[in-house]
Amino acid sequence: DAKTTQPNSMESNEEEPVHLPCNHSTISGTDYIHWYRQLPSQGPEYVIHGLTSNVNNRMASLAIAEDRKSSTLILHRATLRDAAVYYCILRDTWGAGGTSYGKLTFGQGTILTVHP
Amino acid sequence: NAGVTQTPKFRVLKTGQSMTLLCAQDMNHEYMYWYRQDPGMGLRLIHYSVGEGTTAKGEVPDGYNVSRLKKQNFLLGLESAAPSQTSVYFCASSYGAGASYEQYFGPGTRLTVT
């Protein structure tokens, strides 16, 4: 599986933008970049995903480098509710034996602390 | 639309006891997954299903069994619980397995085996 590298932790102030980086230098041409987050004592929550172009949704924006070896999740105005662990994941569709099953591989993620 | 639900939310078992964790989704998803999460570690895939009546092993399947008799339900069983199975268990579902599909997770079941 292609691996991702994220900072262990980041801090932000409420209502300020947050840029969460992710390096994925071994990404393959067909890997999608997914971001999930996990709030304390909750299950992971899908945030956004993209392939080559920048993406926006109601939760965040995803900026993908032209060479696709890195990406940045952007929270435009952080709130206290955004304090969570953020995971950058390269979506691996094919399992052993060539069977498609869509495994998600979670790394350590980035712990985001938001200060009031 | 409840999404993905899990029961129970908490459970304490003694070594050697058995139990079944239930996952239900109301999104008509084909794919369902069971993960476990241990302190300081990422989620690890236990078993998965690519459709009703099918199941397959993930990364850490030992000590667990699963069944998918109905499309909306995915059951995870522990036949003889061990302290090493103390963990938080998450169920997830997805419309497809392609790289562009997202997974939806349940709230988790916190299991302690003493």
Side-chain angles (χ1 to χ4, degrees):
Chain A
D1 293 346
K3 294 189 182 297
T4 63
T5 303
Q6 300 177 249
N8 289 333
S9 63
M10 292 186 64
E11 298 187 15
S12 175
N13 294 318
E14 201 173 10
E15 298 193 4
E16 290 184 354
V18 181
H19 291 236
L20 296 163
C22 180
N23 288 317
H24 29 78
S25 59
T26 60
I27 190 171
S28 72
T30 55
D31 281 336
Y32 277 72
I33 302 158
H34 285 245
W35 284 82
Y36 285 75
R37 71 180 184 181
Q38 188 172 19
L39 279 64
S41 299
Q42 295 190 26
E45 176 186 28
Y46 165 78
V47 178
I48 199 167
H49 74 274
L51 182 61
T52 57
S53 303
N54 295 344
V55 183
N56 301 297
N57 66 19
R58 64 175 180 81
M59 292 181 68
S61 296
L62 176 59
I64 301 173
E66 194 169 334
D67 64 5
R68 300 209 329 125
K69 296 188 179 203
S70 66
S71 61
T72 302
L73 179 70
I74 303 166
L75 307 179
H76 296 285
R77 290 184 65 195
T79 69
L80 296 179
R81 193 191 172 280
D82 291 321
V85 180
Y86 286 78
Y87 298 97
C88 171
I89 299 169
L90 300 183
R91 187 66 192 261
D92 175 9
T93 297
W94 299 97
T99 301
S100 170
Y101 69 99
K103 180 181 75 170
L104 280 178
T105 301
F106 287 79
Q108 296 303 307
T110 297
I111 300 171
L112 176 65
T113 301
V114 180
H115 299 288
Chain B
N1 189 335
V4 179
T5 58
Q6 293 182 234
T7 53
K9 289 184 170 53
F10 303 93
R11 186 72 186 269
V12 178
L13 285 180
K14 293 185 177 179
T15 298
Q17 288 184 322
S18 63
M19 77 164 295
T20 300
L21 284 68
L22 171 64
C23 175
Q25 52 93 6
D26 61 2
M27 297 173 281
N28 201 35
H29 285 169
E30 290 291 337
Y31 295 80
M32 296 188 74
Y33 309 85
W34 276 107
Y35 295 89
R36 62 177 287 175
Q37 185 173 37
D38 301 299
M41 299 184 70
L43 278 74
R44 292 181 291 171
L45 183 65
I46 305 171
H47 284 281
Y48 63 95
S49 169
V50 302
E52 180 180 317
T54 74
T55 62
K57 294 180 180 179
E59 302 168 286
V60 289
D62 293 343
Y64 305 95
N65 57 76
V66 288
S67 64
R68 182 105 181 264
L69 299 180
K70 293 183 179 180
K71 185 176 183 178
Q72 63 269 32
N73 296 336
F74 195 27
L75 306 180
L76 178 71
L78 287 72
E79 291 184 344
S80 179
S84 61
Q85 295 177 304
T86 293
S87 188
V88 181
Y89 292 86
F90 292 103
C91 176
S93 71
S94 178
Y95 181 76
S100 63
Y101 290 101
E102 62 268 25
Q103 289 185 11
Y104 295 87
F105 286 80
T109 294
R110 189 173 297 274
L111 175 66
T112 301
V113 183
T114 61

